[in-house]
Each structure stands twice: as structure tokens, then as C-alpha cells.
Amino acid sequence: MDKKELSERDIENIYITPAIIKAGWDLSTQIRQNVTLTPGPVIVRGEMSARNKKKKKFADYVLSWKPGTRVAVIESKENNLSVSSGMQQALGYAEILGVPSAYSSNGDAFAEHNKVAVEGQDIETEFPLDNFPTPEELWKRYKKFHNIEDKKEELVLEPYYTDGSGKEPRYYQVEAINRTIEAVARGQNRILLVMATGTGKTYTTFQIIWRLWKARAAKRILFLVDRNILADQTLVNDFKPFGSVMTKIKNRKIDPSYEIHLGLYQALTGPNEDDKIFKTVSRDFFDLIVIDECHRGSAAEDSSWREILNYFDNAVQIGLTATPKETEYVSNLTYFNEPVYTYTLKQGIQDGFLAPYKVIKIDIDKDVDGWTPPEGMTDDLGNPIENRIYNQADMDRILVLNQRTKLVAKRVMQLLNATNPMSKTIIFCEDIDHAERMRKAIVNAAGKIATENPKYVMRITGDSVEGKAELDNFIDPESKFPVIATTSELMTTGVDAKTCKLIVLDKTIRSMTMFKQIIGRGTRIDEEFNKFFFTIMDFKKATEHFKDPEFDGEPVIIYEPKSGDDPVPPDPPGDDEGEEGPEVDEPGSRKIIVSGVEVKIKNERIEYLGEDGNLVTESYKDFSSKKIKEEFASLDNFLQNWNDANKKKAIIDALEEHGVILENLAESVGKDYGDFDLICHVAFGQPPLTRRERANNVKKRNYFTKYGDKAKAVIDGLLEMYADKGVESIENAKVLKLKPFSDIGTPMEIINDIFEGKEKYEQAIKELENELFKQDKTA
């Protein structure tokens, strides 16, 4: 047996796996092979999307001390590569898995990278297959890497909850859970966890609480939220396994007979001393407090949440947020310390767990050029209008141009009607008044569909009982209506609308925190409902925030309160202070409402999320061209690979790994072109021929006169099949079951009797493809 000719899988089975088992690793509980860590990012261009499977993260081996406690990764390679050729790949996986030990092997030996190597010891070494470290050695190294004391092992190793379905936390959720548990084990009592919206913060929280509760490191726990819907969703979904030991705090009473308490902070406190029911229990009543969406005021010195946290100051307090808040007055980092783990929107999109976005930027003439009322002009109520230039910042805050509202609604419905008018949509408006006017404008722009379905569009704002009653239906993927929600702030956070495909920004957004939260409404992927990306339609230049390094960068402390500082001002009012407080309109003078001013779109452009995380202007055709050239350096290189391929499907599959779906490409280039011509034309500028033209050219050449009548009839049928459906259809022998072939004979009769065996039949297919894809364009 020549080792150099063995496949990577053979190398694993014959050399690497036996060596690991010999070192004492248990195959069923400690060794996992072929572990998919990430599915690869979704690429979106136009209305088309596909996964770039070339970028999925796939570890050959993940070694665990106990389930959920991963300690090492191994990358295997074929024997004709060097021992350490997989090390860079292994280090990438080790980094995201938080393990100190990475290995590469080609079956001859192991290469090791040790992140806790002491001074004088090599970080990277090579050693024979027989010398692989024992589980005890790598667990000891892991404990040193994460600063875990021996006496805290039991807490750190408390297993995850499992319902038997096989569902496991994703790699970043495991990291978030483990880093948090380890921080508690080290005695840290103020912990910050930063996870992008849509990455499963509540499920991660449940696992953290479950492990601490089962280990009895926390006996009474408070999960603090600021919206009823969050508490109710949590109770019946992610936290359901707690069963009878869990309750939602209600009737202004904390019941000591329960261990897990879900609390709305408004239900625990208030402006008067009698409202502060959290003080009806002792200061050491709760061992653990988890604060959801902790950016929303908990770090402010005088916030209601802070009052609760200060009272239970001996409890371990864990803050969860997608957007660490750093302002002149508030700092999560100052209160909770540096995050123990951060998983960003950018990382989530690159991994393929979060939906990417495309941005349609729309400039309205009166926004960008400004509007000056003619001398002496009055508004719709007959009041004089101040003679000055009104611009984008004034629109719908100070000045209401009714034609502008109608234009925005018309453009939104134009997009929905061109794609899917039933796509869940959130329109963010300046305030309640604007949200109501936008609801009316959408009804008029939607026409029949809104007439037939009164709940097609709903205003969901803090003051609307009817609108808030429909929030659950908007969120529910199974519920068709409402389809469109107009809002101002109520839906900026805490609304788990998995199937939201369109976010419309007709709101001036100055706060990066609010912008991140709004974008988070669309980032969830829902494969069951075919939601892989979302669209942002921006009328107010809000998406300029994407260009700010702060959008997905590391939070920086810009304010650190010192003793003797003045009291910290509270956040400005708004419905994001909680659902019990109604949403309020901008304070100030009345709005100027004008109906007769013509408004039009001045400029519109579409941008997509590029692979570097920045927005780019690129069509699906441009994207495909770039990816094809990554796979094939030149036209000659492509032609050689195409001609050499036994099955053209292998080429097509290779491009799909990059996210190039040739069916999608045909939508933008032409549906009559085959895969070969699409590739040659889009990537290498060759004039394309349709499938029908290629089939006819072959017929004109009379190349197949050497075959008998029945064989020629089969080949003519295959040419017709190619002209109709493409090259993949003729490469599959099952096609012979269809007409006209079934009239000639059974597949076995055609292959064995007419073509004298499988080998000669396949040779005929190869000759047919050679003739089809000849580069000359004439007969």
C-alpha cells in the first residue's frame, strides 16, 4: 500500500484515529470527527441568495474532556503534504473554540501548537504518532489556559441541558456559556456577555442558568427583562425545562417558594418606595441575576434597573446585550467589566448563522436639496410657514410633506409587489404621528390587498392597544397578518421577528445603539420559511452608520464615573423605556403640514454586503464572474477542466460551493443559455450560444453518422434533452427511462444492446459533450 495515494479519510482511519485512541481517548465520548462548526456565509445579489460553502468551517477532529468541554482540535491532511500543513487551519478552529491545543497530521507524525508553553519551551513541535497526549494532559493544559482552579472543576464540568433531540449549542454559544461559567468559578460577580441579535442569547442564558442551578452554585435566580413579551416568550420556550420551579413575578409579589423568577423590572420597582417590591425580600435572596438587553439603562447610576442591582449587590450579575452602551453618561463596561465573550453581527454573518443584508439607498429631492417655502405660503391649516430651508433632518419631525409620505409608501409597495407582497416588513418612522400617517399611506398604496385584509398593515406603537395586540401575530411565522408594521421605537428591540425580510428606515437615527438594534430585527435566518437575507430600504441616510468603525468594532469606555460626579442624567423618554410607559412624540412646537408640494426620488442605488464586511455595489453577474475566476484562472484553464471532467456536474457543484448558482445566473443573463456558455460569457467575455443553437450545430455536423439508426435516435433524443434542460440531464442514465428513449427500449437494452455496454455508452456521451462544447460557433 502506497501511503501517498491514500485519501485524507484513509489517513484518518488507518493512522490518526488509532493513535488518538491508543493515547487513552474514548472514541464514543471524547472524539468527534467531521465537525461542522459553521455552515458558511449566505451571499445575496439581487433577489438571489446562496451559501458560500467554500467558507464553511469544518474540523476533522474535536477532542473533549467531558461533553461540552472541548480541549483540542486536529486537522488531517493527505500524506503527500507535510506534517504541519494543516496547522494554520487548526489554529483558526482552536481560536474560535477557545482551546489551547491545535494539531496537524499527515499520518506520519503529529505537529502541535501549545498556547500555554512556558518560557524555554517550544510553542510548536512535532512528535511520533505514538506520543499523542493523554486526555488528562490536555485537560490540565486547558485549565491552565482558562485559569480554572482544581476545586472549581465540578462547576465548570456541569453538563448542558439536553432534551434528547440531539440539539446542541452552536460553537459560539458553547464559548459564551463556558466563558461565563468559568468567570463565575473564578469568583467574578459582574459579567458582561455581548452577542449579536439573532444569535440565541436567551437559549445561551438558559444553559448558563441551568448549569449554575444544577451545580447549586446559584439556588435562587432572577432573569430581569423590560418587556412582557420577552418574559412570556422565555417562559414557554427556552426556559420551559425549569418547569414547576419557575414563575413569572406578578401581582407585585415575589414568591419565595420558586427558585427561578422571571421579572419585568417595572413590576419590581417604581417611583414610590411602596412600589419597590424587590425590597420585600432580603438582599441575599437571589444568588444570580441575569439582565437581558442590559444596554437599555441598567448601567446608568440612577436607572430603575441599577436600583435593583445595587440592592442585590452580593448576587452574581450577568449582563446580556447585543450593543454595549458607551455614552457620556452610561458605560456597561464600567459596571460589568470587559465582556467575557463577544460574538458580533459581522462574525455571525461571515459564519452563516445570521442573515446578510442588501441596502437600497433612496434620496428624495426635498431631503437632499432642501425646500424653501415661497414667500407668504401657509400650511394646510392656513398658518404661515417660516421662510427657511427645510431639509432631511426636518422631515416628519417639523415639516410634513404629505406627498413625501405617499412617495415612500409607493416605493415600499413597489418593492414588495416586485418580490413578495406578503414579506414581513417593519417601517421605522420618526414618531407615532408619522407611523400613523405611514400606515394610512401604505393602505392606499397597497390597494386591493389592504382592502381585503384590514390587518395587512398595522401601526404597532406604545400608545396603540390594537397595534400591540397584533405584535404576537406579526412575530409568528405561521400567522400571515399583519404583514407590514409601522412603528417608531416600540419594535427596535426585543421583537423576535424571524421572518422579517424588509426593514424600511424613514427615521433619523443618531444613536449607534438604536441602529444596531433596528438592524437586528432582520438578522435571523429561517430556512423553513425561505428567509436567508433581508433588505434595508433607507430614506434617511441612516445606513451611513455601517461605515462607522463603531458599528461592529470593540466598545471603548469613554466615560467612567468617579466619586463625587454629578448625578447621571437618565435616557431620554420613549417607548423603549418599557411597554408600560406609552411611546411619546417629539416634544416641541406643532408640525407644519403641507399637501401640495411635489416630491420625487432623485437618486437610488443598491449595495450589498461584501466579503470584507463593507457594503459594495455589485451585481450577481459581477459576483459570479469574480468567483468563477477564483476557481479557474483563465478561459483555457476552465476549458481544460470542463473537457477533462467525466461529469460536468462536478464543475457546477464546485461553483455552487462558492455561492455561484448557475440557475440564478441564468435569471440575469438569459434562461436559454446552458451552464457552459454562462460561465464562458460571464467570466471570460465569450459570445454565448443558446442550448438550442449548440444542439443544432451538432446536428449540422453529422458527426454521429458512424452510429446505427437506433443509437442515432438515442443521441438525437439526448441533444433535444440538452437543448431543453441542460447538460446535467444527459449525464444521468435515469433519463433513459423517459420518452423518447422508453419507446426505443429499456435503459438496460439501450446501454447493453444498442451501445454494447456501459463503457461505450459513456464514451458516446463524452463524444456528444465534446461536440456540443466545441469553441467554433458555426456548422
Side-chain angles (χ1 to χ4, degrees), residues 395-579:
M395 296 300 168
D396 292 295
R397 286 177 173 267
I398 296 171
L399 175 67
V400 175
L401 297 179
N402 281 327
Q403 293 302 318
R404 184 188 180 285
T405 310
K406 291 178 181 179
L407 179 66
V408 171
K410 180 181 177 183
R411 183 64 187 88
V412 170
M413 287 311 305
Q414 183 185 352
L415 176 67
L416 288 173
N417 287 327
T419 52
N420 179 3
M422 300 305 291
S423 292
K424 292 288 177 92
T425 299
I426 306 176
I427 305 177
F428 288 95
C429 303
E430 294 290 358
D431 52 32
I432 291 171
D433 166 65
H434 186 200
E436 173 56 26
R437 286 186 291 103
M438 186 61 70
R439 183 201 64 79
K440 178 182 174 183
I442 290 288
V443 168
N444 290 329
K448 185 179 178 182
I449 193 170
T451 306
E452 294 176 346
N453 305 285
K455 292 182 179 178
Y456 179 72
V457 54
M458 295 287 294
R459 171 170 60 88
I460 302 180
T461 50
D463 71 324
S464 172
V465 175
E466 297 82 7
K468 287 199 292 184
E470 292 298 325
L471 186 54
D472 281 352
N473 287 328
F474 181 80
I475 291 168
D476 183 1
E478 301 286 351
S479 179
K480 287 179 71 174
F481 300 102
V483 174
I484 302 173
T486 67
T487 190
S488 68
E489 291 187 9
L490 183 64
M491 300 176 73
T492 58
T493 185
V495 176
D496 189 11
K498 291 181 180 178
T499 55
C500 178
K501 289 187 175 182
L502 176 61
I503 291 174
V504 180
L505 303 176
D506 199 22
K507 177 183 182 71
T508 303
I509 303 171
R510 297 186 179 92
S511 161
M512 179 63 79
T513 297
M514 178 177 284
F515 180 67
K516 285 185 178 182
Q517 289 292 333
I518 286 174
I519 297 307
R521 298 313 99 209
T523 55
R524 287 166 174 80
I525 286 177
D526 194 317
E527 298 193 14
E528 182 183 351
F529 290 89
N530 197 34
K531 192 281 182 86
F532 291 94
F533 70 95
F534 66 107
T535 301
I536 303 166
M537 185 176 272
D538 180 15
F539 292 92
K540 288 281 182 81
K541 296 189 183 297
T543 52
E544 293 299 302
H545 281 297
F546 282 131
K547 296 178 182 177
D548 190 330
E550 185 190 339
F551 174 70
D552 210 43
E554 292 297 319
V556 178
I557 298 177
I558 59 171
Y559 172 75
E560 187 165 348
K562 300 176 177 62
S563 59
D565 275 1
D566 290 334
V568 176
D571 285 349
D575 88 310
D576 74 338
E577 287 301 305
E579 67 182 25

Side-chain angles (χ1 to χ4, degrees), residues 188 431 643:
Q188 191 173 325
D431 52 32
N643 292 328

Side-chain angles (χ1 to χ4, degrees), residues 251 255 266 280 329 397 524 543 762 766:
N251 301 325
D255 188 340
Q266 298 95 323
T280 62
Y329 307 114
R397 286 177 173 267
R524 287 166 174 80
T543 52
E762 290 179 348
K766 183 75 174 173

Side-chain angles (χ1 to χ4, degrees), residues 61 381 763:
Y61 292 85
L381 297 176
Q763 179 60 34

